[in-house]
Amino acid sequence: MSSGKAPRIAMVLAAGLGTRLRPITNTMPKPLVPIAGKTLLDRGLDALAAAGVEKAVVNVHHFPDQVRRHVAPRTVPRVVISDESEALLGSAGGIVKALPELGSDPFYLLNADTFWIDRGGSDLERLALAWDASRMDILMMLADPAHATGHSKGTDFVIDADGRLARANNAPEGFIYAGAAILEPRIFAGAAVVPQSFDLYFDRAAAAGRLYGMKMDGHWITVGTPDAIPLAEQAIAEAARQGS
């Protein structure tokens, strides 16, 4: 990072309804679904802890008390709950609500419903090393579709030689947004705490030439539907056999 230090605070988006994962999510929130013995949320929090994150703000809505109880014993990172029980605020609205806890320095953003298996070092630490506040408002971690499990949609972004991103519109040479990023909080200046998507902020940063990406080294995994769970567990087992 241009500031010489990696983020010590993270925002974890964990408030979604997980409708595509029903009937499992009829009785539990998606982030608490276990994959090979560890919840999706813990996989994300463990990755943040390994990257040196000290505080994680986790937003909740669907079965919020289950998430509260689950994270209560955790000390690394320390978890602060951002409660959206009354109304879902969307990916960006949830961040805006949590800004008082996130502070004024760049922070990690993590989706609680995706994870990855690092190969040859921490991809989050590599993301921090690639961050340059003088050029970037958002630095996204990108997955190659050839090294992804459970992804059934197209590609999200194309990356140029300098690392700048543009919408891929499912271009075959595109990459998948891996659900992890570093954000400059000033991009939310003046934003209201209302339901809103993060797509607006992606597009604003891209238009300003300040949306960048880093191709991850690890294997990315998303669990969108019940039939994706065994595929995810197979990918974890295969990585363990290969010594990742």
Side-chain angles (χ1 to χ4, degrees):
M1 297 176 69
S2 61
S3 62
K5 61 180 182 179
R8 291 292 179 260
I9 296 177
M11 176 79 201
V12 181
L13 299 177
L17 298 174
T19 54
R20 293 173 58 232
L21 206 55
R22 289 173 179 164
I24 298 170
T25 49
N26 287 338
T27 56
M28 69 169 61
K30 184 176 181 180
L32 295 190
V33 172
I35 307 296
K38 183 186 288 191
T39 69
L40 288 165
L41 180 57
D42 283 324
R43 289 185 178 278
L45 291 172
D46 286 352
L48 291 169
V53 169
E54 297 166 358
K55 180 172 81 168
V57 182
V58 178
N59 66 344
V60 296
H61 174 82
H62 190 50
F63 295 109
D65 290 342
Q66 288 189 33
V67 180
R68 287 180 187 276
R69 287 194 299 270
H70 185 81
V71 301
R74 188 165 195 125
T75 57
V76 183
R78 178 171 64 90
V79 174
V80 174
I81 294 293
S82 181
D83 195 334
E84 296 178 26
S85 297
E86 292 185 4
L88 271 173
L89 293 171
S91 51
I95 296 170
V96 174
K97 178 179 171 63
L99 283 176
E101 288 286 352
L102 295 169
S104 58
D105 292 331
F107 59 90
Y108 283 118
L109 175 68
L110 209 64
N111 290 350
D113 59 353
T114 62
F115 66 99
W116 62 92
I117 302 165
D118 281 323
R119 289 175 174 165
S122 165
D123 274 316
L124 282 182
E125 291 178 3
R126 290 181 58 239
L127 197 69
L129 289 171
W131 172 259
D132 181 352
S134 68
R135 295 184 297 135
M136 304 172 183
D137 285 340
I138 302 171
L139 175 63
M140 308 172 74
M141 198 161 80
L142 303 175
D144 185 333
H147 301 289
T149 294
H151 186 70
S152 58
K153 300 176 183 177
T155 57
D156 300 312
F157 295 95
V158 290
I159 184 168
D160 71 12
D162 294 323
R164 282 193 180 90
L165 300 184
R167 292 282 184 181
N169 298 315
N170 295 329
E173 70 274 20
F175 289 81
I176 306 161
Y177 170 45
I182 294 175
L183 308 184
E184 170 54 65
R186 68 169 176 265
I187 66 175
F188 301 104
V193 181
V194 296
Q196 53 183 307
S197 168
F198 202 29
D199 284 344
L200 169 66
Y201 297 89
F202 288 158
D203 290 337
R204 281 180 181 171
R210 295 182 62 85
L211 179 65
Y212 280 76
M214 183 206 77
K215 301 172 189 175
M216 64 188 300
D217 286 340
H219 186 92
W220 185 70
I221 300 173
T222 180
V223 181
T225 57
D227 59 2
I229 293 175
L231 297 177
E233 294 182 334
Q234 287 171 17
I236 292 168
E238 180 62 26
R241 284 193 292 271
Q242 294 176 358
S244 295

